[in-house]
Each structure stands twice: as C-alpha cells, then as structure tokens.
Amino acid sequence: MIADFTATQLMLKNVIEKVVKRYNIGRPRVVVGVPSGITEVEERAVEESVLQAGAKEVYLMEEPMAAAIGASLEVGEPSGSIIVDIGGGTTEVAVISLGGIVVSHSLRVAGDELDEDIVNYIKKEMNLAIGETTAEQIKVQIGCAMPLMTEMSMEVRGRDLTNGLPRNVTITSTQIEEAIKESISKIVEIVKITLEKTPPELASDIMEKGIVLAGGGALIKNLDKLLSMKTGMPVYIAEEPLDCVVRGTGKTLEDIERLKRVLVSARNRK
C-alpha cells in the first residue's frame, strides 16, 4: 500500500523506463500485487501511480493469490489450499479453490512490525538505540518463533541512551523470540481464525495438504513448527518464499485470460 505517492510514482517510473529501454517496447501492461484488505481509495491510489508512471494498463491482483500461484499451488483445482504470505507491511492468509479466494484475512502485522518490536525491546531492556536496518539483520540472523535446539547470538552496535556514545551488546535468539512473541501470536491467531471460517469440504483438503508459508516472514526460524503445533496441521515453507508474489504476478501476466478470471472472482467476492 502507498504511504508516499510521489516516491512510489518516481520509483515505478524509473523501473518502467528501464524495462521499455532494455526490451524496446511501448507502454507496458502491469500487474500489481495488493493486500486482500485494501480499500477502494487505496486501490485507486495504486492504479493512478502506476498509470502516471507510464503503464498502458494496470491490473491489481490480491497478494495471497499471487503468492499461491508463485508457490506452484494448484489454485484452479476444486480442492482447497491455504497460503500464509508474511510480507513487510501485511500478513495475508487465504483459502483458495477453483481459481478464487474462498476465505481471506489481512493483518497489518508482518516483517516491519517485527523489526519495530526488536528496536523497542533493545531500547527497553538494554537501553540501546538501534536502527531498523540493524533490527532487520537481527531478525534474519537469529529471529525465531520457538526456542532453537542451539541458542544463537550476535553482537549489535547502537547508541547508548544514557551517554549518547556507541556501545556493543550481545543479543541471543531467546531474547529476540521474547521481543517478537506478541506479533507472532497475532499472526498465528489470524491463521486459526481463517481455518475456523473455512468450509468443511475444503478443510479436509487443507488438513491433508497442509499450510504453505510464503513471504520473507516465512524464513523466521521455527515459525513453521509453531504454526503446526498451534493448528495441528503440517506446515511447509514455499520454495524461494521471498519471490512468491512477484513470480505469481509474472506467471499470471503471461496468461492474461487467467488474470481476468482471477479479477472477476475477486470482484464477485467484494
């Protein structure tokens, strides 16, 4: 979703100009992955920014559907599949069947929120100020949703809040688990709520196939084990989870008729 309209437009314009120049094409057709909980005003902001950046046509596609296609789930089959896409700004959970989303929930707790949790924890517990980039590195390297078999640690540099001078501290995976615990429990809860609202005939398929995790958040250590423990279902991490949404939009762009079917299905649900 767009927080800074001008910055978004400039970034997209730059990307589109590179593509047009490299492949010697006219104004391109663009597919944008958006959260399933996006409002009409936010939709228009996305469309407007992409068109002004130089696109000929713009299609908005719900991120969980794009992630499911990118993760190679059989979205067109009558059986049900469930995808949990933990991105930067939102966590998207969706049950998909017959090429459409049957049940979905969007939660504005995801990777960025976890970074913020780490910043606040270190500030409160260690009296040290760190930046979001450092928090992201900590999350990637030692972030976990459940205790690890072997505890990990890393050295972190920040600004001492007492005297304003640089200081190094060592932080452990157990501390980071504690820091992100509340946000992780919200993500687990939204998955459980989605499963509770899933039609019974699809729930049995999901029990057999399991839950698929996509997005950068899927790489948090032991998140799959925690979800499996809390839901009683097998949980799998998609291949290259960071790229699932962009691969899904790419595959759909190659099959424009499928894209139109997906968009009709989304409009009917709304």
Side-chain angles (χ1 to χ4, degrees), residues 206-262:
I206 291 167
M207 180 63 82
E208 191 180 320
K209 290 181 182 179
I211 298 166
V212 177
L213 288 180
L219 299 173
I220 292 169
K221 297 168 186 65
N222 283 350
L223 179 57
D224 53 340
K225 289 178 183 171
L226 179 67
L227 264 175
S228 183
M229 189 177 81
K230 295 289 186 181
T231 61
M233 294 186 180
V235 178
Y236 307 99
I237 298 170
E239 197 176 324
E240 297 183 50
L242 281 163
D243 299 340
C244 283
V245 171
V246 75
R247 286 179 186 276
T249 52
K251 282 181 185 176
T252 313
L253 195 53
E254 290 165 10
D255 183 356
I256 202 69
E257 290 309 312
R258 176 162 73 170
L259 172 60
K260 285 174 180 172
R261 286 196 299 273
V262 167

Side-chain angles (χ1 to χ4, degrees), residues 114-132 134-135 138 156-162 167 169 171 175-176 179:
L114 299 179
D115 294 344
E116 206 174 299
D117 290 341
I118 293 168
V119 169
N120 292 336
Y121 180 88
I122 292 174
K123 186 177 183 179
K124 184 182 171 186
E125 299 295 325
M126 300 178 172
N127 216 26
L128 194 76
I130 63 166
E132 288 180 8
T134 304
I138 294 168
V156 178
R157 173 170 285 187
R159 190 182 80 251
D160 193 310
L161 292 169
T162 310
R167 175 162 64 94
V169 297
I171 193 157
Q175 289 171 305
I176 299 307

Side-chain angles (χ1 to χ4, degrees), residues 28-182:
R29 180 189 293 137
V30 179
V31 179
V32 187
V34 294
S36 54
I38 194 169
T39 65
E40 283 186 23
V41 173
E42 288 165 337
E43 276 187 9
R44 282 199 298 275
V46 174
E47 285 173 351
E48 192 63 30
S49 64
V50 178
L51 289 169
Q52 287 191 22
K56 177 179 66 177
E57 296 172 44
V58 57
Y59 299 95
L60 304 188
M61 186 178 184
E62 289 173 299
E63 279 175 358
M65 177 61 84
I69 293 169
S72 300
L73 297 187
E74 295 171 343
V75 296
E77 298 297 312
S79 58
S81 302
I82 186 167
I83 185 103
V84 180
D85 175 31
I86 307 168
T90 60
T91 294
E92 307 285 327
V93 187
V95 174
I96 296 167
S97 179
L98 288 170
I101 294 175
V102 181
V103 184
S104 73
H105 285 96
S106 183
L107 177 71
R108 297 196 185 198
V109 174
D112 295 345
E113 188 84 8
L114 299 179
D115 294 344
E116 206 174 299
D117 290 341
I118 293 168
V119 169
N120 292 336
Y121 180 88
I122 292 174
K123 186 177 183 179
K124 184 182 171 186
E125 299 295 325
M126 300 178 172
N127 216 26
L128 194 76
I130 63 166
E132 288 180 8
T133 306
T134 304
E136 171 90 6
Q137 288 169 349
I138 294 168
K139 180 183 71 181
V140 169
Q141 288 186 39
I142 63 171
C144 60
M146 281 175 68
L148 302 173
M149 293 281 284
T150 307
E151 188 171 68
M152 300 172 75
S153 64
M154 69 180 283
E155 194 172 44
V156 178
R157 173 170 285 187
R159 190 182 80 251
D160 193 310
L161 292 169
T162 310
N163 56 28
L165 298 174
R167 175 162 64 94
N168 287 6
V169 297
T170 299
I171 193 157
T172 66
S173 53
T174 304
Q175 289 171 305
I176 299 307
E177 181 201 343
E178 181 63 30
I180 64 176
K181 194 175 187 177
E182 196 175 322

